[in-house]
Amino acid sequence: MPNSNAKFHCNHRGGQEAGRRELVSRSLQSAQHCLEDQDFGTAYAHYLLVLNLAPELKASVKETFQFTLFKWAEELDSLARIQDLFNCYEQALELYPNDEVICNSMGEHLFRMGFRDEAAGYFHKAVKLNPDFADAKENFYRVANWLVERWHFIMLNDTKRNLTYLNAIENAVRSGCRSVLDIGTGTGILSMFAKKAGASSVYACELSKTMYELARDVVAANNMEREIKLLHLKSLDIEIPKHIPERVSLVVTETVDAGLFGEGIVESLIHAWEHLLLQPM
């Protein structure tokens, strides 16, 4: 009897595998017929089924799947079925999480719809995955021009201003301010000043996804990614110890443009004083 049961289970598994292969084969044929008829939505559904049943085929059907996804996304866009479009890209990225072409295409749709900060995140990921991907690099620089305010570049090239900040931060650290929070860090320059001045703990928050990613790159390029904790958060949302482990002894910020009304510099400083700064004895 035990041998008979083992044989039954073996035959059952063999039958299931044969059925899976048959379903995958038929779905691939159906997907191809749908593509020939330009029925991209149905073809996309067939490819989803194939890739979920036979993940070993991911490499071989990748280009055709991308083509089908992009064509179906164009139709959904023209029909204003925005949520369905995003759902398709989310499904695709679950199957191909490190595909720079799909990331770049998702970013292009987001950019056209006005979600520029989110688009920048996908373009940045695409460039990270493939630094030689020219389209993604061009898209990232284009969206960055929309998001990175011109005064950032003016400030970064203002030597007198930078030295004034550096001296002020150095003096504060020497006087005993050992933990620092940089609100609206931008490129991360003030955080790096604080670390170079000798601060033991440096935290920085940035609300813009694009500027947050840029700060990460700048900090990493200066070999400080382990010494400066970057948070993609509004300063008003920072909690102790959830986001930072301690109250800080110094807050630095230069949120001086529209951030006066967006990030809310007055509210941010009040919040920092009440909740994040060490209180004087």
Side-chain angles (χ1 to χ4, degrees), residues 98-145:
N98 296 317
D99 189 290
E100 69 274 17
V101 178
I102 295 176
C103 286
N104 183 65
S105 180
M106 175 67 157
E108 290 176 337
H109 281 287
L110 286 165
F111 183 79
R112 284 196 295 270
M113 294 174 191
F115 300 106
R116 294 184 178 123
D117 209 23
E118 293 82 356
Y122 281 97
F123 293 145
H124 185 264
K125 182 179 180 180
V127 173
K128 284 288 188 181
L129 290 168
N130 182 1
D132 297 323
F133 190 6
D135 287 349
K137 286 197 291 187
E138 181 179 345
N139 283 333
F140 180 69
Y141 295 141
R142 179 160 57 101
V143 74
N145 283 332

Side-chain angles (χ1 to χ4, degrees), residues 63-74:
E63 289 187 10
T64 310
F65 175 76
Q66 288 176 342
F67 172 81
T68 306
L69 168 66
F70 300 156
K71 286 294 186 180
W72 179 225
E74 288 177 8

Side-chain angles (χ1 to χ4, degrees), residues 184-199:
T185 191
T187 57
I189 188 170
L190 300 186
S191 294
M192 291 187 290
F193 284 171
K195 196 63 196 178
K196 287 182 177 179

Side-chain angles (χ1 to χ4, degrees), residues 66-99:
Q66 288 176 342
F67 172 81
T68 306
L69 168 66
F70 300 156
K71 286 294 186 180
W72 179 225
E74 288 177 8
E75 284 192 24
L76 292 173
D77 193 8
S78 67
L79 296 169
R81 291 171 58 183
I82 306 306
Q83 190 57 56
D84 289 335
L85 185 154
F86 287 148
N87 288 342
C88 286
Y89 273 96
E90 288 175 2
Q91 293 167 338
L93 287 170
E94 286 180 5
L95 293 166
Y96 296 96
N98 296 317
D99 189 290

Side-chain angles (χ1 to χ4, degrees), residues 180-183 185 191 202-206 228-232:
V180 180
L181 171 64
D182 179 7
I183 295 177
T185 191
S191 294
V202 179
Y203 313 101
C205 63
E206 175 57 55
I228 298 173
K229 182 173 183 179
L230 287 165
L231 302 167
H232 180 217

Side-chain angles (χ1 to χ4, degrees), residues 141-263:
Y141 295 141
R142 179 160 57 101
V143 74
N145 283 332
W146 282 88
L147 294 171
V148 181
E149 296 86 347
R150 293 296 183 267
W151 53 264
H152 270 291
F153 302 109
I154 296 172
M155 290 191 305
L156 289 173
N157 288 286
D158 187 340
T159 304
K160 182 177 179 180
R161 162 201 165 274
N162 292 337
L163 287 175
T164 300
Y165 266 98
L166 176 59
N167 290 334
I169 291 171
E170 286 179 342
N171 290 336
V173 171
R174 289 195 194 104
S175 69
C177 295
R178 306 300 297 172
S179 54
V180 180
L181 171 64
D182 179 7
I183 295 177
T185 191
T187 57
I189 188 170
L190 300 186
S191 294
M192 291 187 290
F193 284 171
K195 196 63 196 178
K196 287 182 177 179
S200 56
S201 302
V202 179
Y203 313 101
C205 63
E206 175 57 55
L207 183 58
S208 165
K209 178 68 172 176
T210 304
M211 294 307 300
Y212 167 75
E213 296 288 356
L214 179 59
R216 287 182 61 186
D217 288 344
V218 172
V219 168
N222 285 273
N223 299 313
M224 291 186 180
E225 64 270 31
R226 294 183 180 179
E227 302 177 68
I228 298 173
K229 182 173 183 179
L230 287 165
L231 302 167
H232 180 217
L233 281 174
K234 191 174 182 179
S235 62
L236 296 173
D237 295 332
I238 296 176
E239 299 177 17
I240 299 171
K242 181 179 179 180
H243 301 115
I244 61 177
E246 60 184 332
R247 286 176 176 264
V248 298
S249 51
L250 176 66
V251 169
V252 295
T253 187
E254 195 169 18
T255 318
V256 295
D257 72 324
L260 281 167
F261 308 100
E263 168 72 4

Side-chain angles (χ1 to χ4, degrees), residues 16-64:
Q16 283 184 324
E17 177 59 23
R20 183 186 73 91
R21 287 198 300 266
E22 177 67 18
L23 182 55
V24 167
S25 176
R26 289 184 178 181
S27 292
L28 282 172
Q29 292 175 9
S30 296
Q32 190 59 45
H33 290 319
C34 289
L35 286 178
E36 292 171 0
D37 294 337
Q38 296 190 346
D39 183 359
F40 300 113
T42 307
Y44 175 76
H46 280 299
Y47 277 118
L48 280 185
L49 177 62
V50 167
L51 290 168
N52 279 286
L53 288 174
E56 67 273 13
L57 296 179
K58 282 184 179 180
S60 60
V61 303
K62 180 179 176 180
E63 289 187 10
T64 310

